[in-house]
């Protein structure tokens, strides 16, 4: 089986606000020879899927976290190790793969890291991997002027049950495997100088359970709204996020209320958590929710996919907010001391 990939105008518009990532990926694809045993198109799924001839596909993914914004929510070396591992494990979850092993490449700042801190990083990464039933098996270490951490995760998925970002249809319901906004709340709290411990968990068991029921899936590491926009765009559809309070992390709701910001910003920011956003046909909804319940997951209804190419956040009372414009505008917000004021101004303009 070969899975097609498409890049539509939504992704292009978002990437234009972030150094035109689509153009860079296109250049990389053009330089690659087609791999005869790759099931998906390169860069087209959360994990790359390789057919090595056995009963299961090999799922492989790589992710890098750099100093600065990407590590704002991980103030300790333990949490950085946990987050680096979780970023790749979540990509395995999004294709329904069972995780097996993880490697991590660490670029440490020689002037700022101790042997004890390096051990804390390794312990955080290893414990995140073991929590998913897999193993950390090695990697690489380097010195650099700025720290960064790259993880490679390897898993397996039955060849007929692999999920990708493609396959959704108009009328499909959007669900997320847990509350969203925890990452954005942690990031804003860090900028406000508040203690914000946050250890997100990859949803590997949920991915395995969903692989028989979901039409398409993506993780929310870039935030719920961005994930929904990408899923809709790749499938030639529109989407509507339903802004009910049950969708959001309780600590995030408390922060939004304290800062007098609308709760929908919790899903629109890009300090994402690592939940799975999945599209499911209405007739498969009950079976999908039952499968998730068997893993202890309590999913939240996030919205729906539509035939009309509109991209909306639907507030209680009927107000519609342009989700694409919000996502584009948020990429221009400076993550610094004036961030809360910029968010308030953005929310006011969206009304």
């Amino acid at each position: 089986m070969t899975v097609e990939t498409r890049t539509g105008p939504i992704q292009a518009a978002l990437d234009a606000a972030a150094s035109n990532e689509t153009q860079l990926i296109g250049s990389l694809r053009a330089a690659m020879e087609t791999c005869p045993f790759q099931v998906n198109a390169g860069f087209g799924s959360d994990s790359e899927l390789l057919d090595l001839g056995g009963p299961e596909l090999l799922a492989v993914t790589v992710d890098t976290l750099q100093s600065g914004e990407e590590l704002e929510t991980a103030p300790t070396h333990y949490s950085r190790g946990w987050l680096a591992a979780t970023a790749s494990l979540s990509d395995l979850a999004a294709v329904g793969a069972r995780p097996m092993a993880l490697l991590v490449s660490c670029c440490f700042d020689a002037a700022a890291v101790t042997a004890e801190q390096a051990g804390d990083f390794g312990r955080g990464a290893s414990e995140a991997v073991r929590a998913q039933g897999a193993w950390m098996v090695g990697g690489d270490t380097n010195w650099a002027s700025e720290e960064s951490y790259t993880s490679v995760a390897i898993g397996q998925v039955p060849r007929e049950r692999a999920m990708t970002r493609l396959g959704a249809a108009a009328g499909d319901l959007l669900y997320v495997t847990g509350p969203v906004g925890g990452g954005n709340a942690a990031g804003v709290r860090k900028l406000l100088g508040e203690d914000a411990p946050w250890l997100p968990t990859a949803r590997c068991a949920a991915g395995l359970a969903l692989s028989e029921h979901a039409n398409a899936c993506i993780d929310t590491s870039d935030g719920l709204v961005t994930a929904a926009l990408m899923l809709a765009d790749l499938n030639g559809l529109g989407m509507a996020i339903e802004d009910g309070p049950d969708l959001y992390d309780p600590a995030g709701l408390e922060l939004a209320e304290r800062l007098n910001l609308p709760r929908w910003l919790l899903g629109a920011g890009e300090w994402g958590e690592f939940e799975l956003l999945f599209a499911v046909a209405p007739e498969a909804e009950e079976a999908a929710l039952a499968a998730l319940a068997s893993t202890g997951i309590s999913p939240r209804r996030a919205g729906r996919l539509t035939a009309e190419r509109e991209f909306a956040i639907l507030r209680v009372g009927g107000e519609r907010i342009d989700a694409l414009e919000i996502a584009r505008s948020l990429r221009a917000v400076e993550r610094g001391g004036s961030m809360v004021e910029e968010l308030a101004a953005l929310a006011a303009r969206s009304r």
Side-chain angles (χ1 to χ4, degrees):
M1 101 185 177
T2 300
V3 177
E4 179 190 5
T5 185
R6 299 185 285 269
T7 300
I10 301 303
Q11 184 62 57
L14 289 175
D15 290 339
S19 302
N20 203 357
E21 185 179 359
T22 296
Q23 183 178 358
L24 297 179
I25 290 175
S27 297
L28 287 170
R29 280 201 187 112
M32 294 165 51
E33 287 190 56
T34 300
C35 175
F37 51 87
Q38 185 167 10
V39 171
N40 66 310
F43 296 95
S45 300
D46 285 64
S47 295
E48 310 304 336
L49 299 169
L50 307 179
D51 186 352
L52 303 184
E56 295 186 305
L57 300 175
L58 187 68
V60 184
T61 187
V62 60
D63 212 315
T64 298
L65 301 177
Q66 296 178 309
S67 62
E69 293 178 359
E70 292 185 321
L71 293 173
E72 288 283 5
T73 60
T76 67
H77 280 79
Y78 179 91
S79 62
R80 290 176 184 186
W82 181 283
L83 189 64
T86 298
S88 284
L89 291 166
S90 184
D91 286 340
L92 291 183
V95 298
R98 173 173 53 85
M100 299 169 58
L102 182 129
L103 298 94
V104 62
S105 178
C106 305
C107 288
F108 290 119
D109 183 346
V113 70
T114 65
E116 181 180 5
Q117 289 171 329
D120 287 342
F121 177 93
R123 187 165 54 88
S126 181
E127 291 183 5
V129 175
R130 291 299 297 132
Q132 302 300 327
W135 300 89
M136 183 172 165
V137 297
D140 186 33
T141 58
N142 296 282
W143 298 121
S145 58
E146 290 189 352
E147 64 178 329
S148 67
Y149 306 104
T150 298
S151 62
V152 175
I154 302 168
Q156 290 181 307
V157 57
R159 60 177 57 249
E160 298 305 323
R161 289 178 56 179
M163 296 184 294
T164 71
R165 298 174 180 179
L166 297 176
D172 279 0
L173 306 175
L174 291 175
Y175 274 88
V176 65
T177 51
V180 301
N184 286 310
V188 171
R189 282 197 170 96
K190 179 68 165 54
L191 291 179
L192 294 174
E194 301 176 6
D195 185 29
W198 186 64
L199 295 177
T201 300
R203 298 301 192 183
C204 295
L208 288 167
L210 283 171
S211 60
E212 288 190 277
H213 308 288
N215 288 338
C217 187
I218 186 173
D219 86 347
T220 65
S221 55
D222 290 327
L224 172 66
V225 169
T226 294
L229 285 167
M230 291 177 67
L231 206 61
D233 191 36
L234 288 168
N235 288 280
L237 301 168
M239 66 81 176
I241 296 295
E242 298 164 358
D243 180 45
D246 290 345
L247 181 58
Y248 302 105
D249 176 79
L253 288 172
E254 181 278 326
L255 179 67
E257 183 177 3
R258 173 157 58 93
L259 298 178
N260 197 28
L261 294 172
R263 64 183 177 230
W264 54 259
L265 279 171
L266 293 167
E270 292 199 331
W271 274 307
E273 49 290 309
F274 295 91
E275 301 294 342
L276 300 180
L277 176 69
F278 61 96
V280 61
E283 60 270 21
E285 178 186 18
E286 184 177 351
L289 298 185
L292 285 176
S294 71
T295 70
I297 294 292
S298 299
R300 270 70 169 174
R301 169 77 177 265
R304 62 184 183 275
L305 294 171
T306 64
E308 299 77 19
R309 294 281 280 169
E310 296 180 350
F311 310 94
I313 301 169
L314 303 179
R315 302 193 68 184
V316 175
E319 180 186 358
R320 299 173 65 90
I321 296 171
D322 187 333
L324 177 58
E325 182 56 35
I326 289 298
R328 184 189 292 120
S329 298
L330 277 171
R331 290 197 169 187
V333 170
E334 294 293 331
R335 296 184 180 182
S338 64
M339 184 176 187
V340 172
E341 289 77 10
E342 290 187 58
L343 291 175
L346 174 60
R349 292 196 302 272
S350 71
R351 296 192 184 103

